[in-house]
Amino acid sequence: MPDLGLEVLLKGQNMERLLIGLLAALKISLVSVAVSLPLGILLGTLMTWKNPFIKAVLRVYLEIIRIMPQMVLLFLVFFGTTRAFGWDLSGESASVIVFSLWGTAEMSDLVRGALISIPLHQYESGEALGLSKVQIYRYIVVPQTLRRLIPLSINLITRMIKTTSLVLMIGVVEILKVAQQIIEANRTASPNAAFGIYLVVFLLYFFACWPISVAARYLEKRWR
Amino acid sequence: MKNSVLKKFISIAAAVSAILALTACGSQGTESDSQKAETQKEELTAGADTVYRTLDEIKEDGTIRIGVFSDKNPFGYVDENGEYQGYDVYFANKIGEDLGVKVDFVSTEAANRIEYLQTGKVDIILANFTVTEERAEEVDFALPYMNVALGVVSPDDKVVESLDDWNSDDQIIVISGTTAETYLTENYPDIPLQKYDSYATAKNALENRNGVAWANDNTEVIAYALQNKGYTVGIPELGSKDTIAPAVSKGNETLLQWINDEIKALADEQFFHADYDATLVDTYGEEYKEELVVEGGVTE
């Protein structure tokens, strides 16, 4: 078996540090997801309304967030708010703000897409049956939209978890930074450790994202 | 053996998740954050764009924030117990001790060091920061505590000791974007360069004899020659000597003055020699001590 340098993980508290790093990443992403999902659903619904003013504002918000790389957003919120307003946000708070802004924008577009994909005749059939507007949404539109949203939002959530690797640029020590620290601290003693440690990081990310996929598959089946 | 590794892995994972389940999402940090924000605001209203904390403010606060590398062994790195270590960190701890405050280490990257000082998010940067004219316009450098120059390493059987009278068939290996590349392009335009993107690829190239020598920061090539048998640093110092120094936010006179006085005072106890012995000697050996260490801020 090739030397993967895994013994490095058993030195001192290295494995614990890696897991604590994973939790730091998960904390940032899951708090942001918890903010993004409801806000995204709200904004996505607003986007399907006919009000041109609301539509324009949301469109600009979405495009700005979508065009701007997350790294730039992180720098803007972490350093920019200090320059402009003198706020001293911690790296974690800045990350949660950026990831929530980003998640909300992307989620709102997913919701908008899912909503307008429900064909017009479904609404009309509901009306023809004498259902009220609330009933049409409750029994016809929302269930179908939710089902369409599941795979899309799982994509977004796992992407948000993985993108937390950028927050090391604003001083937050998360799993990838810990991995780099461990590899570099053992550069001479175990030069092969990089491969083994990145393998472990991969597995940890996998086990963090996998339950989400499983839950999604369960929901998809249940709501069929 | 494998089984016990797995067991340890699982037990650690279980222990950690249990601990974290108990303390998870605790609200530690939020309080100190808001406090920090308040002090920051006061400073901002005090002066138009002074974002830094003066010496007195740091002492009053009881904590100094120092930006260091967390993955540049042996200058600034984190050991297996999660403690910051290295040449820069050794000095940072001394600063904390002599100032009578706690040191709060902030993990910085090469690309965000200046930004951290300009926004006052750290008080001092001690992250192997090379003094350059461009940087000196953005931040204030204190007295230096280490030398850096370029170095050239080559195989033992054909050691390159001079770049003059170069045979134009021979190529020198460099990493793109480094000072070595800039320096050679400017000063030795006739020497053909072989450029690589990363340390690992450049290293492979030298080992495969794609070039006759490898030029890089001398700390890098010295460490390389010591760790790999069959290679010698033929040119340990090339070009202008640069220095590494602590940096503070532009205009933070009180802190800058204190650091300068501290560096001068530490010369009496040969502090940076002791720092070298504690942190760098394993990587660079005794023979480069005088070349790398700057004591009392005095360079020849």
Side-chain angles (χ1 to χ4, degrees), chain B residues 77-235:
Chain B
Y77 65 99
V78 181
D79 70 9
E80 66 267 23
N81 296 315
E83 302 283 338
Y84 279 87
Q85 301 290 352
Y87 188 75
D88 295 342
V89 173
Y90 194 90
F91 181 37
N93 282 325
K94 182 73 177 168
I95 289 178
E97 194 188 311
D98 289 350
L99 208 51
V101 295
K102 201 177 136 278
V103 178
D104 193 358
F105 286 109
V106 178
S107 159
T108 54
E109 308 295 319
N112 64 18
R113 288 176 296 190
I114 291 180
E115 199 73 21
Y116 262 106
L117 284 178
Q118 286 185 332
T119 50
K121 284 184 179 282
V122 298
D123 299 306
I124 309 177
I125 287 281
L126 272 177
N128 219 243
F129 214 8
T130 308
V131 181
T132 66
E133 273 175 38
E134 293 88 14
R135 286 175 182 161
E137 282 170 17
E138 315 267 349
V139 301
D140 281 343
F141 284 106
L143 291 171
Y145 61 95
M146 203 179 116
N147 280 316
V148 276
L150 300 176
V152 179
V153 64
S154 40
D156 277 347
D157 52 355
K158 200 166 167 253
V159 178
V160 174
E161 284 173 333
S162 160
L163 295 183
D164 303 320
D165 305 320
W166 191 259
N167 174 0
S168 62
D169 291 338
D170 293 339
Q171 295 188 322
I172 290 191
I173 296 164
V174 293
I175 302 174
S176 305
T178 56
T179 37
E181 184 196 7
T182 330
Y183 176 80
L184 289 176
T185 317
E186 267 172 31
N187 296 285
Y188 294 90
D190 297 333
I191 298 181
L193 300 180
Q194 224 176 75
K195 300 177 186 182
Y196 293 91
D197 281 331
S198 69
Y199 182 88
T201 48
K203 176 173 178 272
N204 275 337
L206 182 69
E207 281 161 7
N208 294 334
R209 300 274 180 128
N210 294 354
V212 295
W214 178 12
N216 202 348
D217 285 359
N218 64 353
T219 49
E220 292 284 352
V221 294
I222 291 167
Y224 178 84
L226 287 171
Q227 284 156 21
N228 296 275
K229 281 208 176 70
Y231 294 90
T232 307
V233 179
I235 311 176

Side-chain angles (χ1 to χ4, degrees), chain A residues 86-118:
Chain A
W87 304 346
D88 188 21
L89 292 175
S90 70
E92 284 85 359
S93 338
S95 313
V96 167
I97 292 174
V98 168
F99 279 76
S100 302
L101 282 173
W102 170 46
T104 304
E106 297 240 350
M107 188 66 198
S108 70
D109 206 35
L110 298 180
V111 170
R112 186 189 63 88
L115 276 176
I116 58 174
S117 76
I118 308 287

